[in-house]
Amino acid sequence: MRQSSTFVVVALATAVALSLVSRVPSATMASPIATPNPRQNPFTRPSDKPVTVCGTVVSIDFDKEEFSVGFVNLTNQVEMIPNKDGDIYTPCYVRIIDFPDDGTRKILFGKEALTRPLNEREEKLTSAMHEARKKYWEENLVRNLSLPIPDILLQFEPDRAYGLGKFNSINLQDSYRKSPHLSWNAEEGVVMVGDEWENVSPRPWLSVGSGSRNATGQCLGPTEVELEYQRKRQETEYEKKLTVAGLLMRRAREMAEERLKEKVKFAVVTMPSPTDKPHGIIFQDTRPAPPAEAAVRGGLYPLRVLDRSEAAVLAYEPQIAKAERAMGGRPQTVVFYYLNWYTEGISVFETNRDPAEEDFLRLKTVARYHFYPSVHGRMKMAMARHFYKMYAEGLYFTTDTPRKDCAECKRFLDRHASDSKEQAMAFLQNDIGQVTYQSRAWPLDDSENEAKEERFFVSMTEYVVLTRKEWRDFERAWLKTHFGAMLDKAYEKSRVEVEARPPRIDHFLIVDESRFRNRTSSIMREVLGGGAELNELVDPAIERKLELVISYGAARVADYLTKRSSHYSCAV
């Protein structure tokens, strides 16, 4: 009886397998797509084993501070999937709570990981963990660095939310505020400040300093044992970061499956630009890219891993592809520039495909440059220098009524002589900041308004005068010079010689979230040249916000891969 049952089970399994094989699409229906090996660099060594894509391919914009999930619905519209809080952007924070008594694990994501208080059971677990760590340090006042790192120092703490961006982890007892960009920051308390999420840099609490000195008192530096201990700590912290990234990617997959009501196995993932690295690189470039590694850990195949700048340009793929076909297949050159209140960047791309193959647009990176300091702050300094030059040339006025003091001016008055340049720059930057804020409400194309004068004090009684038109003209001239310098810097940093630079620019895309947004396009057109033939990429359906443009581009690539697939739902 048992043998006959076994035979029936085997026969049924064989029949199911044959039916599944018969549903696999033919080569004419959908060609297999190579999937990156998670243990290899997906940019240089893709897997040799192709896979047949099934179901809907989703897009995941995986930034340092937040992630979003999207797809193209049946009406051919990009749809962003909201989380359970109704937000399309989820903070990249995870709280991991392991209960040793029953071996269970509880995981909280996003806003809940940052704000949900500990319950009684979690409070007891946290207290026990803190006591164990305290006891360990009391018993090991002198660390033996040659011993393995104890597990008590590597565990996830229940009262900490672990992230990927500016803060590696945040203590839940701190107070938080939510910025307009949906990034979570700590206002006070103990914060372990982490490095940029895509690579690990040495941090003070991971560093090991040697007290060894030679006969002359010179520090001998860390020993081999100390360096090996630091390397092991960095490796364990990197592994914890990949664990957090994998859990976040798993949550993104679950959100997609809840919305689509089907199994999701494939995704297009975005990653920050390679130049978005203010910290040094510790690990070699052969290490797996975190987005691809995180996707695999989260149960997804990353069919494409896109640079975020590349994804933004691909949001306008139909326009670029149409121009490419009109030009007889000539590669198109695209300049992408983004600017907001705290950073900016510029990239130059060239289309890289054979239009006859009906392939989705691919981009080749020609040059790129990313800069962190705010353009507003740099313009403020440039204006202050310009006004001080006017003052030094005698182009100033004097008033009998001293101006009102300001905190910044008083600080410099206490430190410098009354006629010092530092004091003058302090006065000027204070006034420039106030006028900059007021200038947002200035009406445009108003001759009476443009003739109004603004005072910028150099001391308590001396000031220079500039009309509002002169103010706007200075801003425009400075921005034009700055945009040109950014483009030159991109070529220089990317080691593109003058003779190898593109002879013409066909398209440009501006995503400006700063106060210059109503002037950036016209200024960039002057910088790039080309006249009427230079096309600005604009789509009324896409809101000009960097995160949304990137998400739309990744979703368009995912939609193309979905349409190339077998259209069968993935097996559970």
Side-chain angles (χ1 to χ4, degrees):
M1 181 71 180
R2 184 174 302 173
Q3 291 179 350
S4 61
S5 300
T6 305
F7 175 78
V8 171
V9 170
V10 172
L12 288 173
T14 305
V16 171
L18 290 174
S19 65
L20 290 176
V21 170
S22 65
R23 294 184 63 184
V24 175
S26 64
T28 59
M29 183 175 181
S31 58
I33 300 176
T35 303
N37 188 325
R39 295 297 175 185
Q40 295 178 341
N41 188 323
F43 304 104
T44 57
R45 297 189 302 274
S47 174
D48 295 330
K49 297 181 179 180
V51 297
T52 301
V53 179
C54 60
T56 303
V57 182
V58 299
S59 64
I60 302 176
D61 179 20
F62 204 61
D63 196 9
K64 299 182 291 292
E65 300 291 345
E66 59 201 8
F67 72 86
S68 63
V69 189
F71 71 104
V72 176
N73 57 28
L74 296 177
T75 61
N76 203 33
Q77 300 296 318
V78 175
E79 182 178 332
M80 306 305 297
I81 301 175
N83 55 29
K84 65 179 183 179
D85 298 316
D87 301 323
I88 62 174
Y89 296 107
T90 303
C92 284
Y93 283 98
V94 173
R95 193 166 4 142
I96 304 172
I97 307 173
D98 293 313
F99 298 100
D101 51 353
D102 58 2
T104 59
R105 165 176 279 192
K106 181 184 295 184
I107 303 176
L108 306 178
F109 296 95
K111 192 183 299 183
E112 185 181 16
L114 288 161
T115 59
R116 203 212 73 176
L118 299 173
N119 58 33
E120 183 178 355
R121 184 187 182 193
E122 294 165 353
E123 287 280 8
K124 292 180 180 179
L125 177 63
T126 303
S127 299
M129 182 177 292
H130 289 176
E131 286 296 325
R133 292 191 176 190
K134 180 180 179 181
K135 181 179 179 181
Y136 170 80
W137 289 119
E138 289 176 350
E139 295 175 353
N140 297 271
L141 296 177
V142 180
R143 288 180 293 175
N144 187 347
L145 302 181
S146 61
L147 296 177
I149 301 174
D151 292 338
I152 190 64
L153 301 182
L154 305 178
Q155 296 173 351
F156 290 100
E157 300 179 48
D159 60 341
R160 280 193 176 274
Y162 294 84
L164 303 173
K166 184 176 181 180
F167 300 109
N168 192 45
S169 67
I170 295 181
N171 193 320
L172 298 181
Q173 297 177 354
D174 300 333
S175 59
Y176 310 107
R177 61 181 173 84
K178 191 177 182 183
S179 74
H181 298 278
L182 294 174
S183 304
W184 290 82
N185 301 320
E187 291 181 336
E188 57 186 20
V190 179
V191 177
M192 296 162 55
V193 180
D195 57 334
E196 288 301 303
W197 79 281
E198 69 261 41
N199 49 70
V200 177
S201 297
R203 298 187 289 275
W205 68 282
L206 284 180
S207 301
V208 180
S210 172
S212 304
R213 297 181 180 274
N214 58 18
T216 61
Q218 293 177 327
C219 180
L220 298 178
T223 63
E224 290 296 329
V225 174
E226 291 170 336
L227 289 173
E228 176 63 19
Y229 177 82
Q230 180 171 321
R231 188 195 64 80
K232 288 188 294 185
R233 286 299 300 266
Q234 290 172 347
E235 288 286 348
T236 54
E237 289 303 314
Y238 183 80
E239 180 61 30
K240 288 176 70 173
K241 179 166 287 191
L242 287 180
T243 299
V244 171
L247 291 173
L248 290 168
M249 198 69 76
R250 189 187 78 180
R251 179 57 190 149
R253 174 176 59 84
E254 293 171 352
M255 289 170 56
E257 291 177 343
E258 292 171 4
R259 169 62 183 86
L260 297 170
K261 307 300 182 185
E262 65 177 71
K263 187 71 174 178
V264 174
K265 288 187 176 181
F266 299 93
V268 172
V269 186
T270 67
M271 62 174 291
S273 300
T275 52
D276 190 3
K277 296 177 181 179
H279 302 279
I281 301 176
I282 294 301
F283 300 108
Q284 298 179 0
D285 292 337
T286 54
R287 291 182 67 92
E293 174 77 5
V296 173
R297 292 185 178 217
L300 290 166
Y301 287 94
L303 295 177
R304 297 282 191 275
V305 180
L306 301 174
D307 170 78
R308 299 188 83 221
S309 298
E310 181 183 2
V313 174
L314 290 177
Y316 302 85
E317 192 269 349
Q319 297 182 36
I320 303 174
K322 182 179 179 180
E324 187 182 56
R325 289 191 294 269
M327 295 289 182
R330 180 179 65 78
Q332 302 289 290
T333 305
V334 185
V335 170
F336 169 59
Y337 177 72
Y338 66 90
L339 172 68
N340 52 36
W341 288 92
Y342 56 92
T343 186
E344 63 181 317
I346 191 168
S347 299
V348 182
F349 297 103
E350 190 176 81
T351 57
N352 182 27
R353 68 161 181 176
D354 182 3
E357 295 183 359
E358 297 291 334
D359 193 13
F360 194 84
L361 188 69
R362 291 178 180 268
L363 299 176
K364 171 188 173 183
T365 302
V366 177
R368 71 170 80 243
Y369 182 58
H370 183 92
F371 200 67
Y372 267 94
S374 168
V375 67
H376 297 87
R378 281 173 282 149
M379 178 174 286
K380 184 178 176 181
M381 287 294 297
M383 280 189 164
R385 289 192 294 267
H386 174 69
F387 294 156
Y388 185 79
K389 182 180 179 181
M390 293 174 59
Y391 169 70
E393 294 174 352
L395 303 176
Y396 66 91
F397 301 88
T398 304
T399 179
D400 296 331
T401 305
R403 60 156 289 162
K404 294 182 179 179
D405 199 4
C406 64
E408 186 178 1
C409 306
K410 186 177 185 303
R411 179 167 58 87
F412 275 88
L413 285 172
D414 294 339
R415 295 171 54 190
H416 303 281
S418 59
D419 59 346
S420 67
K421 181 179 179 180
E422 290 84 356
Q423 172 206 309
M425 296 295 284
F427 276 100
L428 288 170
Q429 290 189 61
N430 179 78
D431 288 352
I432 292 170
Q434 293 181 4
V435 175
T436 298
Y437 183 80
Q438 298 168 4
S439 66
R440 303 177 188 177
W442 291 355
L444 298 175
D445 302 325
D446 185 348
S447 57
E448 182 179 351
N449 172 72
E450 291 182 346
K452 290 183 178 179
E453 296 181 342
E454 299 291 339
R455 292 184 177 186
F456 301 91
F457 279 85
V458 183
S459 66
M460 296 299 292
T461 58
E462 299 169 323
Y463 62 91
V464 295
V465 173
L466 212 68
T467 65
R468 293 184 176 182
K469 183 180 185 306
E470 291 172 335
W471 169 282
R472 291 193 188 279
D473 290 343
F474 179 89
E475 284 188 334
R476 185 177 184 85
W478 188 89
L479 285 172
K480 184 176 180 180
T481 302
H482 174 69
F483 291 165
M486 284 287 290
L487 184 60
D488 291 338
K489 182 66 72 172
Y491 286 127
E492 177 185 340
K493 289 289 185 179
S494 303
R495 299 180 180 179
V496 180
E497 300 295 336
V498 176
E499 57 274 9
R501 297 177 184 180
R504 58 175 288 173
I505 304 297
D506 300 292
H507 312 271
F508 72 98
L509 170 62
I510 300 289
V511 180
D512 188 354
E513 299 178 65
S514 71
R515 67 181 180 88
F516 310 118
R517 63 175 62 92
N518 58 347
R519 289 168 283 172
T520 310
S521 295
S522 61
I523 298 173
M524 183 61 77
R525 183 178 290 276
E526 294 179 11
V527 172
L528 299 177
E533 297 180 358
L534 180 61
N535 175 49
E536 181 179 5
L537 297 173
V538 178
D539 187 345
I542 304 177
E543 188 176 356
R544 285 299 186 93
K545 291 185 178 180
L546 184 61
E547 289 81 7
L548 283 176
V549 174
I550 293 169
S551 299
Y552 270 61
R556 288 297 179 192
V557 179
D559 180 55
Y560 165 75
L561 296 174
T562 300
K563 292 176 179 176
R564 280 188 60 191
S565 72
S566 63
H567 300 288
Y568 290 119
S569 299
C570 298
V572 179

